[in-house]
Each structure stands twice: as C-alpha cells, then as structure tokens.
Amino acid sequence: MENSGKILKRVFGYDEFRPLQKEIIENILKKNDVLVIMPTGGGKSLCYQLPALIFQGLTIVISPLISLMKDQVEQLRELGVDAVFLNSSLAHEEYQRNITRIKSGKVKLLYIAPEGLLRPNMLDFFSSMRVDCLAIDEAHCISEWGHDFRPEYRALSEVRKRLPDAACAALTATATTQVRTDIRNTLELGSAGEFLGSFNRPNLFIRIVPKVNPVNQLLQLVRNYPDQSGIIYCFTRKKVDELYDVLGKEGFSVKPYHAGLPDSDRKQNQELFIRDDVRIIVATIAFGMGINKPDVRFVIHYDLPKNIEGYYQEIGRAGRDGLRSDCTMMFSYADIHKVKYIISQKEEREQRIARIHLSSILQFVESDMCRRKPLLDYFGEKYAGNNCEMCDNCMDDKKDSVDITIPAQKFLSCVKRTGEIFGAGHIIDVLRGSKSKKILKFGHQKVSTYGIGNDLSKKQWFQLSRQFIQKGLMLQDMEFGGLKLTPGAYEVFRGNETIFGVFEETDEPPEVRKKATDLDYDEELFNRLRKKRKELADKSSMPPYIVFSDKSLVEMSAFLPMNHSSMKRIHGVGEVKLEKYGGHFLDIICRYCEENDIDEKQPDIKKKSPEIT
Ligand code: ADP
Ligand code: ZN
C-alpha cells in the first residue's frame, strides 16, 4: 500500500508534513480517536483527508457551514479526490445522485452538517455502511463556552455511538481549556490523544500604529498592497459604509460587509472577494467565519478589537498559505472612550467581562515587549524567542530619541496638584494656562503648574500624555478617565529617572516589505501566471486559489519549471493538477523564458521557500 508520505506529494503536491500532521494521521489510521487543536492555517484538514484516501470505507466530515463544505469539496475534487457534500443547497436530483455515489462506495469523503446527519433514516443509512472515520471540524461549536455554539453539535455523541468502527477526529482552532474539556466530555473522547499545535503564526507581521489621521493613514497603508487581497475591520456598520465610500472614491477595488446589509449583498460581496474580483473588504467582525481564502495579504484594524481572542481570530485570516502577511492595528486612546460608552450600555455582568477584555487588549497595545509574548500568553503558551523579527516592537527602530523628562515632570506634578481625578484634557488646559470655566470653578488657576506648559501645543501634550501612560507613569481610570500617578512617576519627580520619547507622533505609514516571501521570484511572470489562474478559475466558477495557491505560483516564477518533471516539484502540484493545469502554466513559463532569454533554475539548486507554520 502507498504510504502517507507518498500520497502527500502525489495527491496534494506537498513535500513534507507540517508539525503534528504525521502523528495525527498515524493515529487515525490505527483507528485511535484524536482531538486536534491547531491555529487557523495550521493544516488541520489534511489530517483527516489523507487517511480518508487510505481507508477502504467512507470518511464523514461534519462541518457547520455550507460555504466551508463547498470550498473543501471543490479543493478535493481538483486534487482528483472523490468528495461530495449533502446539504440544503443541493437540488433534489443532485442530492439523490450523491447518495447513490456514496452507496456505490466510490466516495471517499462526505461533508455534511450535523442536522443533516440527524435527519430520519440518515443514521440508519450510514450505520449500514462501512464508515472508517468521523471527522468533526470546528469542534468548538459543541461548547457553550465557545464563540459559536451550535446546539446540533451536541447530538454528535449519538452519531458516534451509531458508528462504532469509525475513528473520531475532533478538530478546532479554539484553545481554551473549557472548550477542550467540553469537546472531550460531549464526544466521550475518553483516552483520545490530544494534539496541541503552537498558536504562533510566524508569517504574520504584527504592528500597532498610533491613529493620528486615520483616513489618510488607511489610504497610505492600503496603497502598499497593489493587487493584493486584504480585510479592513472597523467597529460599526456606519464606519464600514463610510470607509467603503472613501476607498471606492479613491479608486480601490472594495466592497462592504456587515450585518445590516441584505443577505444577498453580503453573499455576493464575499464571493467577489474570494474570487479575486474585489481586492478589499471593509467589514465589521461579522465577516470572516467560513472564509478559507489563503492569500489574504493584509488585515487592518481601523478600530480597537473587542478582545484578544477576537483580535487573534481576525488577524488569523491573513496568510493561511504561510506567506508573509501584515496585520496592522490603528490605535488611539480616544477610541477607548467609545468602547467604554458601549460597555456602559450593557448589563452589569456583561460590563464586568467587557472591562476585563478591554483592559487586556490595552495591555497588549501598550506593551513594548515582542507582540507574540502577550498574544501567546493569552492562549497559555510561552513564546520562547527573544526577537521574533516579525513585530513592530522587535523590528522598528526605537523612535524614543528625545529627552522628555522635563515635560514629564510638569505634567505629572500637575496631575498630582489637581488631585489625580482629572483627564488629560483638563490637565493640559491647566498647563497651558486656559481660562476655561472648569479651571476657574476648581480654582486651578492658582496651582503652581498653571501656565507652565505654554511651550508645547495641545496636540503635543496629548501625545506626550499617551506616552506617559504607555511608559507606566500614570494610570487612566477605566470608568471616568481620570489620571493617577504610579510609583514610577515619583521617581521622575525626584529626578531619579530620565524619560525618552517623541514630541510628534507621525502618520507616516510604516515601511512595508513588498514581497511575501524571501524567495527571489519574477514578479512579471508571477502576474502573468496569476492572470491565467483567474481565467481558468472563472471558466469553472471557482475561486482562483483552488486552481493553485499563491505559493505555487511564486515557486513557479522563481524556479521556472519548463517540463512536467520539474513542474511536479513545485509546491501544491500533485498528479491531477499537473495533468489538468500543468500545460497551461508551462506554456506561459516557456514563452516568458524565451522572450527574456532565461533558463530554468537547476532543480538541485532549488531552495524551497521555507514552510513557516
Ligand atoms: P486549517 O483547517 O487548520 O485552518 P487548512 O487545512 O485549511 O488549515 O490548511 C491551511 C493551508 O495549508 C492550506 O492552504 C493547505 O493546503 C496548506 N497545507 C496543509 N498541510 C500542508 C503541508 N504539509 N505542506 C504544505 N502546505 C500544507
Ligand atoms: Zn516580536
């Protein structure tokens, strides 16, 4: 029998397994139950798809969303694997045709929603067949503690009992212990092996920039990614519509997505994005679940995310293909007031939780450590490295060049003298000698710090005050916004500590690397291949990434394969895709090389683009 390593290359076109995949596959093949926890893009699907090709019988995959099923089945069919789905989107005849094919024993993988499996007679039907594996994708849907609980998932324990010979593989990207325990208990997984992958996504560049002039900043940022796909998240529907308008007027290929749009619009916009007919989606967090697009090159948070877990999920939609992708959050303290207002409208219990979430995301934002540390910490994982080389804190030159001790002393003592209950705006008014009613009412024109800060503008003072908070010299009251001093502030008063910072935060966009990989590839050729891919995909009404991933095209335009055998070495080129598409792409490569008088790169000097997962 062909071993799993061979099938990996022949069918899927991959050279090696990613971490844990091999062990998981071996366990499933031995009919051991497994619980797999890996981040988005970690390669969970392969863990049950590959054994399905080796098993004699059927593999049933439980999936919560029609869009996910469709996507996976399309991908498998392109690889030459016999896969079908059964759901309400199918016409009666097609449904029956799929049932007949399942009965005939040809089908290797069946995708179905839990409610479909629980329909009358369905379980009888399947328990009369040979089912070797029951894979439960998005298994966190079982848990009320998870973010998308699906009551139907609870009934899967019944299904399991009816299919005693099937190995059960539960897979999820949700790592919390509560959810894990819930999955184990509900599915009665007992001694099932647990495979917990690292939640680090090394190919995501994480950056937080001060939100100074947001619309301009956004436009500049987005211009860094001509022709590439990206998602912009914002807090409200209104903001989505607004930014959609701005971006559209600037000529960007963009569509909006939020819960206020009619169902059909949302569906259509999502489809346009997936098919590369539209490059950018501006969305609320309603967008993303069920999106399998692997080549999202940037995610921008225009507003503060609700909590760390949400933030992680949202940036996780970038770079599933393992190529470098950028995640940029625009942050301003003013946004916190908006969030606080929203929190204050909630019920008391919810308020408490929302406040905890807010403070942990703030901690993340203000930290000057490697971004991966607090992020992975949240998932109970220690980030071992010191410098990830893929976040702002590890990479950006420290801009803290100016001595700001004196303004710090002025500001902090003004906070002290006014009783540590006022916000930055009032403190700045005192420092700049304003004659506002509020100042007179509190008699603050008489404090010794009144008018000693005229040398700096209001804007500069605001920027400084943010830095004092970031540097841990002051705390901001979560409820009322009042500033309080920390013990560190007293060290500054006493002259024991020198503070460095910047007077002027810039809205210059950060330098962005144009290329998504270190591999030296020909961009002109890449674009031609991409055009061909789009053309082929459109012909069969599929998303382009199902034909070939960006990574495959990048390798083609780096190694310039000119015949079948060198084409076969390219990432993602398995037997069936080679047969089906190889010729189209070889033609383009050969013609290009002839035009430009270049040769194929020798296979033995072929350095693989590093798998970073
Ligand atoms: P998940 O379900 O964990 O989010 P997927 O199964 O969708 O992740 O896989 C993410 C991407 O990684 C897909 O594009 C997939 O083809 C690719 N992939 C999976 N396993 C491998 C491998 N061993 N080598 C190279 N690419 C892989
Ligand atoms: Zn880092």
Side-chain angles (χ1 to χ4, degrees), residues 88-150:
S88 53
S89 77
L90 294 176
H92 181 71
E93 304 86 76
E94 209 174 343
Y95 194 96
Q96 284 311 320
R97 203 170 336 126
N98 284 348
I99 294 272
T100 316
R101 279 181 50 209
I102 295 167
K103 271 191 194 149
S104 77
K106 281 206 200 86
V107 173
K108 288 278 140 198
L109 288 119
L110 161 70
Y111 284 77
I112 190 166
E115 54 274 30
L117 202 50
L118 295 164
R119 278 163 62 158
N121 305 332
M122 266 316 210
L123 269 184
D124 291 337
F125 171 54
F126 289 114
S127 48
S128 70
M129 296 192 37
R130 173 160 176 180
V131 179
D132 281 320
C133 180
L134 176 69
I136 301 172
D137 208 3
E138 314 286 347
H140 58 272
C141 294
I142 277 182
S143 172
E144 284 176 277
W145 293 99
H147 38 87
D148 18 57
F149 174 51
R150 296 284 203 107

Side-chain angles (χ1 to χ4, degrees), residues 370-372 387-391 394:
C370 171
R371 299 283 178 206
R372 295 191 144 67
N387 187 322
C388 75
E389 299 186 4
M390 284 292 280
C391 81
C394 287

Side-chain angles (χ1 to χ4, degrees), residues 74 78 275 536-538 540-544 546-547 580-581:
E74 268 177 358
E78 283 298 299
R275 298 219 174 156
L536 292 167
D538 280 350
S540 2
S541 324
M542 285 184 322
I546 293 196
V547 174
K580 191 162 173 190
Y581 300 121

